Amino acid sequence: MKAPLFLSASPMGATARGHTLAIEALENLRRHHPSLKVTARDLSQGGFGQITADYAEAILSHADHADPAFTASEILIRELEETDALVIATPMHNYTVPVALKLWIDLVLRAGRSFGFRDGRKVGLLADRPTLILVSSGGLVRGVAASQPDHLSGYLTDVLKTIGICDLSFVFLEALARSDRAEQAIAQGRQEIAADERFGSGPTAEVALLDKVVLPICCRT
Ligand SMILES: Cc1cc2nc3c(=O)[nH]c(=O)nc-3n(C[C@H](O)[C@H](O)[C@H](O)COP(=O)(O)O)c2cc1C
């Protein structure tokens, strides 16, 4: 792992708990891989507007990759092609991904570019890579105590698999809206990241996480 791409999808930006844990995980990785080059994109900044009629027409007409309607899509797909790991910090919004991450999905999943077809089924055209997905939610989404459906983790798994990214580790930060549960959820999330064989760094990780460093990252919005 040399060049992770970090996608931050919370409207709360750098103050989001998921974002903070993702940065901590990247800082830890950097301790073990000093030459790590992180590309960070804050999807919530809305730099890509929305899906336009031009884009929809270009998709439907299988327009050339150089078509101007594909400019944003090309930027985001190339960003994936230039990186070898993926970290996504996303909140759950109404049981699924927030609109900022949905826009990224709609721009990145392109037939003939990021996925193709074999025997009538979609197959990914991008390289698989270790992927850490931090899912923050105000309530509980898993297990018997879940208060709501989870249309985020299965959906995101299917979406990433479509483009060839299958090596996924999910970490859930649940019940963040509950003051009696939030701290525990964050501590548990840290432990899960530390225990992850790719993104964690074993038993020393918890100590390392407390010692913050400024991570030189290339921020794109
Ligand atoms: C528009 C909106 C919709 C939300 N929908 C849900 C939801 O369906 N389920 C849930 O548990 N929390 C929901 N929340 C709460 C967010 O998931 C929560 O604020 C967020 O995960 C906090 O994590 P962060 O600090 O990492 O941003 C919603 C929040 C917003 C703003």
Side-chain angles (χ1 to χ4, degrees), residues 25 27 51 58 74 82 84 136 150-151 159 174 178 180 195 215:
E27 285 170 351
I51 296 299
E74 281 297 317
E82 288 162 5
D84 64 0
S136 308
D150 170 13
H151 296 300
V159 157
E174 294 180 77
R178 285 179 52 175
D180 60 325
L215 183 73

Side-chain angles (χ1 to χ4, degrees), residues 186-204:
I186 293 165
Q188 192 179 325
R190 276 200 180 105
Q191 278 178 9
E192 287 178 30
I193 295 169
D196 187 279
E197 59 182 20
R198 281 84 44 81
F199 292 92
S201 44
T204 58

Side-chain angles (χ1 to χ4, degrees), residues 49-162:
Q50 57 189 11
I51 296 299
T52 61
D54 282 355
Y55 182 68
E57 278 166 19
I59 290 267
L60 291 176
S61 63
H62 306 289
D64 188 84
H65 297 333
D67 190 300
F70 287 145
T71 301
S73 171
E74 281 297 317
I75 289 170
L76 296 175
I77 293 171
R78 281 188 204 143
E79 221 159 60
L80 279 167
E81 290 173 332
E82 288 162 5
T83 50
D84 64 0
L86 181 59
V87 175
I88 301 176
T90 180
M92 172 180 280
H93 280 178
N94 294 308
Y95 317 139
T96 188
V97 294
V99 67
L101 183 52
K102 181 61 166 61
L103 179 61
W104 180 87
I105 290 167
D106 288 342
L107 291 170
V108 164
L109 268 70
R110 250 174 64 205
R113 182 66 176 86
S114 55
F115 71 89
F117 289 88
R118 193 186 306 138
D119 301 328
R121 297 187 70 84
K122 293 179 180 180
V123 286
L125 298 177
L126 303 186
D128 198 6
R129 77 231 22 231
T131 297
L132 174 67
I133 303 168
L134 290 148
V135 180
S136 308
S137 58
L140 292 168
V141 295
R142 293 177 309 155
V144 285
S147 55
Q148 56 195 324
D150 170 13
H151 296 300
L152 189 158
S153 50
Y155 171 65
L156 200 48
T157 299
D158 286 341
V159 157
L160 293 171
K161 190 176 157 197
T162 301

